[in-house]
Amino acid sequence: MGEKVVAGAVDLSDRQRYRRKLRQCLDGFVRLLDEGRFDRPKNLMGLEIELNLAGSDGLPVMMNKEVLERIASHDFQTELGMFNLEVNIAPHRLGGRVLDRLAEELRTGLNYAERKANEVAAGIMMIGILPTLGREHLVSRNLSDVDRYALLNDQIVAARGEDFVLDIEGVERLNCTAASIAPEAACTSVQLHLQVTPGRFAAVWNAAQAIAAAQVAVGANAPFLFGRELWRESRPPLFLQSTDTRPPELQAQGVRPRTWFGERWISSPRDLFEENLRYFPALLPICDDEDPQRVLDAGGVPHLAELVLHNGTVYRWNRPVYGIANGVPHLRVENRVLPAGPTVTDVVANAAFYYGLVRALAEEARPVWARLPFEAAARNFDAACRHGIEARLRWPRRGRHGTTEVPAVSLVRDELLPLAAAGLDAWGVEPADRDLYLGVIEERCKRRMNGASWQATTYHRALERGLDRDAALAATTRRYRELMHSGEPVHTWPVGLREPALPLG
């Protein structure tokens, strides 16, 4: 949520006024759609990565302010926790050598940030959840000192009216409570943006929803939280529970959570913005003075600030985004399912898989969402988060009616990778780059190895060598960081610790 928000008291009239302004913004948005005012196709993509700061011992360090002061670049910003940063890559046009250019920009930026972090005895880590995070780290005093985070925390806590319950059962079970939204800061992700026209938006969003499970299966990288081995991608259940404004009674009534996969395929971007207004009360009822209809009547483009702010507090895994660039409004699909890391090569490979696949599926004559029930897509997402690269997913039968359950690795290798290659060709991506980065995904499937499986296997080998739980997690984190900086994709990483786990007698 990048909007500038000033903390302050919120009274009853603020919420009523905000609701009216949201309705006015939605009417303005619909008018923009009806009048065909949105930007024409530019094949633009963008990328954001959330990062962790860790010390040489593998433990988190609460120093994002000091590190950002040394980095001194608008490309790097604060995130929710004091051990978090975010790096933003400028939009690129899909085509040519875009994947290689993206990788080079990321390496350059992250290497620079690493050098600056080292000046204060910290280091950069790209990982879905830092394995060494403990409950003592994820408390309100470790939230970044930014007004919008303080206000967001206050409003979510007030809406819930009681402690948050974290209850995740995976390989092991975690059950605890939290007094703030600070546990959300454990979740560090990659966000992939794709600018689309209104006419193409529904097809691209539906395609992104359909493939979310496959993305997570091959890209999972968050198996640990608070010293427990949970799901292979533990971010989604953690994010849901740590931002859940619903006490148990509202959950039992079927009230929708703010962290949401959704419940249906759509036919227009209007569907998602309307749902956000219909189902979710305002968390940050902050109004500006813009009258969207008056701006439109004068031939201008409204900022729709309330709609944008509200949209940023509904945490869909594929989120609709309204923006303005050079005075022209545009729409983006923001894909938020992937964890950060493990390496730049892995991040770009995940991006290549997504952008290629979403293009191919959005252009199919008989789209996958016409053959796959939405409920099956949602169950697939849950299965991929739980089991990672070992998940089994339901998918339409080729050339026949109905769906069948298949191993995720088989679905990706046999059906989705060829589609992703065709999609990258349609974007005009250089064939050598296409083959290089999609080859990374293929090798993960062949070896059944992604970030989560490497972390889990290395951790268990550390336990077998005599380390206790905390020491094994710290050693796994240190080894991960070392291999991450080597730059080689995770499927090539040697499993286990390099250094002796116990002192030689």
Side-chain angles (χ1 to χ4, degrees):
M1 202 185 70
E3 303 305 309
K4 290 197 178 298
V5 172
V6 178
V10 173
D11 61 31
L12 299 179
S13 64
D14 289 332
R15 296 188 181 279
Q16 294 171 330
R17 181 179 176 225
Y18 190 79
R19 187 178 291 113
R20 290 194 298 270
K21 281 297 299 283
L22 275 177
R23 189 71 240 179
Q24 292 169 13
C25 285
L26 182 62
D27 291 342
F29 177 75
V30 171
R31 183 171 163 185
L32 285 167
L33 290 173
D34 292 343
E35 294 178 0
R37 298 276 299 277
F38 283 89
D39 202 1
R40 298 296 181 262
K42 290 186 176 177
N43 296 351
L44 289 178
M45 56 81 69
L47 184 147
E48 305 167 51
I49 307 178
E50 295 164 349
L51 307 166
N52 287 280
L53 294 173
S56 58
D57 55 3
L59 296 175
V61 292
M62 308 297 165
M63 300 183 69
N64 64 359
K65 183 178 179 181
E66 294 85 345
V67 172
L68 284 168
E69 287 174 352
R70 284 162 173 78
I71 292 174
S73 167
H74 293 301
D75 293 339
F76 288 83
Q77 300 174 359
T78 56
E79 254 299 328
L80 181 62
M82 292 172 64
F83 59 95
N84 299 142
L85 303 175
E86 180 177 88
V87 59
N88 297 281
I89 299 301
H92 285 61
R93 190 177 302 277
L94 277 160
R97 301 303 303 271
V98 63
L99 298 176
D100 236 21
R101 290 197 306 273
L102 185 64
E104 183 59 30
E105 286 186 31
L106 281 171
R107 288 191 189 98
T108 300
L110 292 174
N111 287 339
Y112 174 73
E114 172 71 8
R115 291 195 301 272
K116 292 301 179 180
N118 289 168
E119 294 177 4
V120 291
I124 302 291
M125 285 196 63
M126 289 194 298
I127 193 166
I129 296 176
L130 193 64
T132 51
L133 281 169
R135 292 181 62 185
E136 69 276 15
H137 301 122
L138 294 172
V139 292
S140 57
R141 68 175 177 272
N142 287 334
L143 294 175
S144 293
D145 185 17
V146 177
D147 279 348
R148 70 177 182 271
Y149 298 139
L151 184 56
L152 183 66
N153 178 68
D154 291 347
Q155 293 300 304
I156 291 179
V157 169
R160 182 172 176 85
E162 58 188 81
D163 283 353
F164 299 88
V165 176
L166 305 181
D167 189 355
I168 305 171
E169 186 164 6
V171 178
E172 299 176 296
R173 185 175 183 182
L174 173 70
N175 185 274
C176 63
T177 60
S180 74
I181 66 169
E184 180 197 335
C187 306
T188 43
S189 66
V190 172
Q191 290 126 42
L192 301 173
H193 291 255
L194 180 60
Q195 184 176 328
V196 294
T197 60
R200 299 277 297 151
F201 184 95
V204 170
W205 187 86
N206 288 341
Q209 289 285 100
I211 64 170
Q215 288 181 270
V216 170
V218 296
N221 196 27
F224 299 107
L225 177 67
F226 295 168
R228 296 289 183 269
E229 184 178 357
L230 302 174
W231 295 9
R232 284 301 181 251
E233 186 54 43
S234 303
R235 287 168 41 256
L238 172 59
F239 206 109
L240 185 154
Q241 294 177 17
S242 62
T243 61
D244 200 345
T245 56
R246 310 167 303 161
E249 295 81 5
L250 292 185
Q251 294 179 35
Q253 292 174 36
V255 173
R256 295 157 182 85
R258 297 189 85 96
T259 300
W260 199 32
F261 187 79
E263 60 190 16
R264 64 186 177 108
W265 306 116
I266 66 168
S267 58
S268 164
R270 175 178 178 172
D271 296 348
L272 299 178
F273 287 101
E274 284 185 334
E275 283 184 350
N276 286 355
L277 268 64
R278 186 182 313 127
Y279 297 144
F280 303 106
L283 286 179
L284 303 173
I286 300 167
C287 296
D288 74 3
D289 296 327
E290 180 184 74
D291 183 331
Q293 294 298 334
R294 187 171 297 171
V295 173
L296 285 164
D297 289 342
V301 176
H303 289 90
L304 308 181
E306 292 82 6
L307 188 71
V308 170
L309 182 59
H310 183 64
N311 190 58
T313 65
V314 179
Y315 305 106
R316 295 179 183 270
W317 294 110
N318 284 290
R319 175 190 275 164
V321 178
Y322 170 85
I324 301 173
N326 300 318
V328 182
H330 66 264
L331 286 172
R332 303 192 306 274
V333 174
E334 181 190 15
N335 178 260
R336 306 173 62 249
V337 306
L338 287 167
T343 67
V344 167
T345 299
D346 288 301
V347 169
V348 177
N350 290 341
F353 182 59
Y354 170 74
Y355 286 118
L357 191 50
V358 82
R359 169 78 184 254
L361 290 179
E363 293 183 348
E364 282 190 321
R366 188 165 176 245
V368 64
W369 55 92
R371 298 174 287 139
L372 181 71
F374 191 91
E375 295 76 11
R379 288 194 297 271
N380 282 348
F381 184 68
D382 185 78
C385 293
R386 288 177 183 273
H387 304 296
I389 209 157
E390 301 298 334
R392 296 181 62 85
L393 307 177
R394 187 155 291 279
W395 198 254
R397 298 172 184 267
R398 275 192 277 186
R400 290 187 286 173
H401 293 293
T403 62
T404 187
E405 188 177 88
V406 295
V409 291
S410 300
L411 174 64
V412 171
R413 289 176 61 188
D414 298 341
E415 189 164 348
L416 300 186
L417 277 172
L419 283 169
L424 292 177
D425 288 343
W427 289 120
V429 169
E430 171 67 34
D433 291 354
R434 172 203 67 199
D435 294 343
L436 170 65
Y437 290 106
L438 293 185
V440 170
I441 304 297
E442 183 175 18
E443 285 299 314
R444 284 189 214 156
C445 293
K446 285 181 181 177
R447 305 185 194 195
R448 292 179 181 265
M449 180 64 68
N450 58 16
S453 48
W454 183 91
Q455 287 186 59
T457 306
T458 297
Y459 164 74
H460 283 287
R461 291 196 182 178
L463 292 178
E464 291 166 4
R465 290 173 59 174
L467 272 70
D468 65 25
R469 181 185 292 263
D470 289 343
L473 287 169
T476 298
T477 303
R478 292 193 299 270
R479 183 63 171 149
Y480 178 105
R481 179 178 167 185
E482 177 185 343
L483 291 168
M484 181 195 81
H485 285 294
S486 77
E488 295 300 317
V490 70
H491 68 265
T492 69
W493 290 6
V495 174
L497 305 180
R498 188 179 64 173
E499 72 276 7
L502 295 174
L504 298 175

